[in-house]
Amino acid sequence: MLLALTVVLAYYVKGVCGFGNTLVFTSIAGLRTDISQLTPLDLLVGFVPNALIAWRDRKNACFRIWGPLALMVLAGDIPGALLLKYGDAHILKIGFGVLVILLALDMLLQREKKPIGKVPSILLGIVAGLVCGMYGVGALAAAYVSRATDSNESYRGSLCIVFTLDNLFRIALYFATGILNLELAARALQLLPMMLIGLTAGIWTVKKVSPDWIRRAVILALIVSGAALIINLSLIHI
């Protein structure tokens, strides 16, 4: 029941903001469950909306942007998946909590978009893949695309194509490495209705509530959930 409610909340945030589902899902569910189980679950559940958005906005996507980024993300997925499988679960959770707080603070600062150079962009793309491989978090890929596109349509289309290719690659990679199995796949299938409920409610909310209020609420929720994850793990190991 807790997992189902967390999925509703996570995809409510995605419906409102267009991202953030993995940050919310993993930081809340991670209080009781290992990330090595949560990442593949969120991967399968999130593949459906990512693929639908990619197909809907495919004409606005720019291959010059999503093509190189997809290659860099896929390259980073491999070491990320290996760290997920063989890394210490406690350290992974602490790392995720820190990442959530840093990303939330970055959103809070609302820094002006600036183009980045070729070498930094390559490093950002590979690190984005590493983070996707470990946690399934695409915020760094989103930061890359936001600095390379000049319209919301191009941003959504390019980013969701990267996410869809990343999802397909990681599904195969996780099965090959044993991170993903049929039991987790069956559980993800059961969670799909909850994903649709949350996503639909989020999209409806966007039409009724101020975007600034929603943004502040999401930032606060991310900071609190990330801090709670770190504190909970610290208390357990005292």
Side-chain angles (χ1 to χ4, degrees):
M1 180 61 69
L2 177 62
L3 198 62
L5 292 176
T6 303
V7 169
V8 172
L9 177 60
Y11 283 88
Y12 175 80
V13 171
K14 185 175 180 67
V16 169
C17 303
F19 68 97
N21 54 291
T22 300
L23 296 173
V24 173
F25 175 72
T26 306
S27 58
I28 296 176
L31 293 171
R32 293 190 175 183
T33 309
D34 286 343
I35 287 180
S36 59
Q37 294 184 34
L38 296 177
T39 298
L41 268 179
D42 183 66
L43 168 63
L44 292 178
V45 175
F47 171 72
V48 176
N50 282 333
L52 290 175
I53 296 172
W55 177 258
R56 184 191 66 186
D57 293 334
R58 66 191 185 282
K59 293 182 180 179
N60 298 313
C62 177
F63 176 77
R64 180 179 56 80
I65 295 171
W66 68 258
L69 177 59
L71 291 176
M72 290 183 284
V73 168
L74 297 186
D77 276 340
I78 298 174
L82 293 175
L83 286 171
L84 178 65
K85 181 173 177 61
Y86 298 109
D88 182 270
H90 174 70
I91 294 176
L92 285 174
K93 282 188 176 182
I94 291 290
F96 184 80
V98 172
L99 178 64
V100 168
I101 293 173
L102 290 176
L103 291 173
L105 291 175
D106 183 68
M107 292 169 58
L108 183 63
L109 292 174
Q110 264 189 327
R111 292 181 299 180
E112 182 182 354
K113 291 198 306 182
K114 295 180 181 180
I116 53 179
K118 185 175 182 180
V119 173
S121 69
I122 292 174
L123 293 175
L124 178 60
I126 293 176
V127 172
L130 188 69
V131 173
C132 280
M134 281 193 292
Y135 304 122
V137 175
L140 294 180
Y144 179 105
V145 175
S146 70
R147 285 165 172 76
T149 54
D150 53 8
S151 71
N152 289 332
E153 293 77 12
S154 178
Y155 169 78
R156 285 197 305 269
S158 300
L159 184 60
C160 282
I161 286 179
V162 172
F163 283 165
T164 301
L165 294 174
D166 163 74
N167 290 170
L168 288 170
F169 182 74
R170 282 197 292 130
I171 288 172
L173 182 61
Y174 285 2
F175 266 119
T177 56
I179 295 173
L180 184 58
N181 53 46
L182 293 179
E183 181 182 352
L184 285 174
R187 191 181 302 179
L189 190 62
Q190 294 173 344
L191 293 172
L192 286 179
M194 311 309 292
M195 178 273 291
L196 292 173
I197 291 171
L199 192 67
T200 303
I203 293 172
W204 178 85
T205 301
V206 172
K207 302 175 183 179
K208 305 293 182 180
V209 181
S210 166
D212 288 338
W213 183 89
I214 293 171
R215 179 178 167 278
R216 293 190 187 100
V218 170
I219 291 172
L220 178 62
L222 290 176
I223 293 175
V224 170
S225 60
L229 182 59
I230 295 172
I231 293 170
N232 180 71
L233 287 169
S234 299
L235 291 175
I236 288 174
H237 286 77
I238 290 178

